[in-house]
Amino acid sequence: MIKSNNFGFNHIFINSSHDKEYDEGNKKLTLVLLHGTGGNEEDLIFLGKKIEPNASILSPRGKVLENNMPRFFRRLSEGVFDIEDLHIRSHELADFIQKCSFHYKFNLEKTIAIGFSNGANIAVSMLFLRPEVLQGAILFRAMVPFIPESLPNLLNKKILLSAGVQDPIVSRNETENLYSLFQKTNAITTLKWQPSSHNLIQKDILVAKSWVSNNFPV
Ligand code: MLT
């Protein structure tokens, strides 16, 4: 495990267990883990390991502080985002992922984000603004962070939305809007409803695990 503050973010990088394959064209999966408000780069490591133990992991800490709680972009109040900051932070994070892919030698075509809440929201934003850095995403409790002026073409990208039926922060309507936006981008999008609130439950992990093994076999 490497802990570093290079390339603009405190982060953890864990190389997958099959190092020798790196010389043969970076065939393996890398998970970019994006935590929720108040989390850090350690938070989702267990989740990434459960979802795909053979993948490499890149886990940055969000740089915006809200009452000392790390986030990936500023918000004005709950669910009301600072769109200018979100755009800047999305490009900054995408640049970071790109630099890490050169430095740690992983393939962006085999890289997916796993985001929870605020982390899922910036992952959506990166898919809209900088789709070249992700081949797909698992989005737990994601919102529509903004509606892009022109939708990107996300043909061949794969997206799993895992939403909570009793989520007080992300309404059913919001989730359905996000799902139909992604469908308009041509992404292969799956929506799964969990019997849960904003928090993750065991079923989120099971659904994500089988989605990864079906869509991104290592
Ligand atoms: C956000 O700010 O991204 C969403 O409201 C989710 C959260 O972090 O609470």
Side-chain angles (χ1 to χ4, degrees):
M1 177 191 296
I2 296 167
K3 284 189 172 206
S4 163
N5 57 9
N6 282 343
F7 317 119
F9 282 83
N10 284 311
H11 66 274
I12 289 174
F13 181 74
I14 302 174
N15 207 339
S16 91
S17 42
H18 309 288
D19 281 5
K20 56 182 170 11
E21 282 184 31
Y22 267 144
D23 300 334
E24 295 162 15
N26 303 328
K27 291 197 193 86
K28 295 156 300 151
L29 194 63
T30 298
L31 310 175
V32 178
L33 305 180
L34 301 169
H35 62 77
T37 301
N40 63 36
E41 67 277 29
E42 317 246 348
D43 261 29
L44 299 187
I45 303 282
F46 83 97
L47 185 67
K49 290 268 181 211
K50 280 200 166 162
I51 292 174
E52 179 44 271
N54 291 316
S56 297
I57 284 176
L58 176 66
S59 186
R61 186 194 310 167
K63 295 206 286 194
V64 169
L65 288 179
E66 182 186 279
N67 302 324
N68 262 337
M69 295 186 298
R71 287 175 51 83
F72 285 97
F73 58 90
R74 284 189 59 220
R75 65 178 164 184
L76 308 174
S77 60
E78 173 125 353
V80 183
F81 301 144
D82 179 334
I83 300 299
E84 196 187 333
D85 187 65
L86 172 57
H87 276 63
I88 294 167
R89 302 284 175 186
S90 302
H91 284 291
E92 191 181 47
L93 187 58
D95 290 343
F96 163 77
I97 295 170
Q98 235 158 13
K99 284 178 198 154
C100 286
S101 80
F102 288 123
H103 182 78
Y104 296 121
K105 298 188 172 45
F106 61 85
N107 185 348
L108 293 178
E109 285 175 12
K110 298 268 181 189
T111 296
I112 64 172
I114 299 182
F116 168 65
S117 190
N118 180 246
N121 293 342
I122 197 155
V124 174
S125 179
M126 282 196 292
L127 284 162
F128 287 163
L129 297 171
R130 295 286 298 276
E132 73 277 12
V133 300
L134 295 172
Q135 193 53 39
I138 298 174
L139 304 170
F140 294 114
R141 315 300 185 263
M143 303 168 79
V144 178
F146 67 97
I147 299 181
E149 275 169 31
S150 65
L151 280 175
N153 185 2
L154 301 182
L155 191 69
N156 298 326
K157 311 251 187 218
K158 295 168 183 170
I159 291 161
L160 171 65
L161 299 178
S162 194
V165 278
Q166 291 128 14
D167 190 334
I169 297 173
V170 186
S171 68
R172 175 174 279 270
N173 210 14
E174 178 94 28
T175 298
E176 282 167 357
N177 286 343
L178 183 59
Y179 178 68
S180 52
L181 262 182
F182 274 131
Q183 282 198 313
K184 286 186 198 142
T185 66
N186 303 315
I188 303 161
T189 311
T190 307
L191 168 57
K192 295 284 184 192
W193 287 102
Q194 308 299 350
S196 142
S197 174
H198 198 62
N199 58 303
L200 294 186
I201 60 171
Q202 194 60 24
K203 246 189 93 205
D204 282 291
I205 299 175
L206 296 177
V207 162
K209 199 172 164 59
S210 85
W211 181 86
V212 167
S213 58
N214 290 333
N215 289 287
F216 296 93
V218 175

